[in-house]
């Protein structure tokens, strides 16, 4: 046990426990704030993460994806909706503290999306930044820009 009550595994465990009790939108804001302080990330990422969490509140992306998969896939807008929904599945899993599941969902979405993966790469880059893996974030951003050089979000 640590002599310093402001450090150590006990404090980390209690913070994790508190975060798990928060609704996803508040949890996202707290995680982003912690990450911004620890890694010096731009504060606008905090707002972006909070907006994602609020948009996903009450939304079941797995159900939405199942519905989209029943629609003929020839339309470009349907294809983009499928890619975006798959990215949302990863976000929802991350906000539910299933980080491995989130990154697995994003990897599968990127594989399935092929040259339309810029949106998923952009989202995954944000979460790499939140984890402090700036090299992986930069690699995702670089690939997103290669796939969609005129897309402002990439």
């Amino acid at each position: 046990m640590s002599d310093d009550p402001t450090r150590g595994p006990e404090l980390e465990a209690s913070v994790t426990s508190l975060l798990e009790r928060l609704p996803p939108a508040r949890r996202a804001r707290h995680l982003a704030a912690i990450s911004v302080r620890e890694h010096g990330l731009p504060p606008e990422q905090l707002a972006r993460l909070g907006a994602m969490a609020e948009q996903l509140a009450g939304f079941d992306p797995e159900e939405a994806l199942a519905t989209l998969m029943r629609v003929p896939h020839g339309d470009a807008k349907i294809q983009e909706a499928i890619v975006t929904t798959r990215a949302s599945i990863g976000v929802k899993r991350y906000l539910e503290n299933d980080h491995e599941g989130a990154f697995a969902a994003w990897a599968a979405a990127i594989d399935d999306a092929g040259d339309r993966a810029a949106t998923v790469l952009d989202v995954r880059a944000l979460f790499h930044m939140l984890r402090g893996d700036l090299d992986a974030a930069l690699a995702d951003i670089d690939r997103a820009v290669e796939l969609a050089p005129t897309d402002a979000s990439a």
Side-chain angles (χ1 to χ4, degrees):
M1 187 175 275
S2 174
D3 292 338
D4 183 355
T6 63
R7 302 212 179 267
E10 296 85 14
L11 180 63
E12 186 175 315
S14 66
V15 169
T16 299
S17 176
L18 288 172
L19 286 172
E20 288 173 354
R21 294 181 205 160
L22 294 174
R26 287 192 61 204
R27 181 181 318 124
R29 285 189 191 98
H30 284 285
L31 287 171
I34 290 167
S35 185
V36 166
R37 281 194 301 268
E38 288 182 8
H39 304 292
L41 300 177
E44 53 272 1
Q45 299 300 346
L46 172 63
R48 183 173 176 209
L49 183 59
M52 283 181 188
E54 286 176 6
Q55 289 172 347
L56 288 173
F59 174 66
D60 183 354
E62 305 261 358
E63 183 179 317
L65 182 60
T67 300
L68 285 167
M69 297 308 284
R70 291 190 294 265
V71 175
H73 295 93
D75 187 295
K77 289 185 180 186
I78 297 296
Q79 291 294 331
E80 186 60 30
I82 290 170
V83 170
T84 302
T85 302
R86 286 190 167 150
S88 298
I89 290 170
V91 172
K92 188 124 182 166
R93 287 181 183 170
Y94 193 95
L95 295 176
E96 292 170 347
N97 290 323
D98 178 9
H99 299 179
E100 286 183 31
F103 282 95
W106 289 318
I110 290 164
D111 288 345
D112 291 344
D115 63 350
R116 296 179 314 278
T119 300
V120 183
L121 288 160
D122 182 52
V123 169
R124 187 173 73 174
L126 169 65
F127 288 91
H128 277 307
M129 285 190 286
L130 290 173
R131 291 175 56 165
D133 190 350
L134 301 182
D135 290 335
L138 185 57
D140 279 355
I141 291 168
D142 285 345
R143 184 158 172 228
V145 169
E146 286 176 17
L147 294 173
T150 60
D151 185 350
S153 69

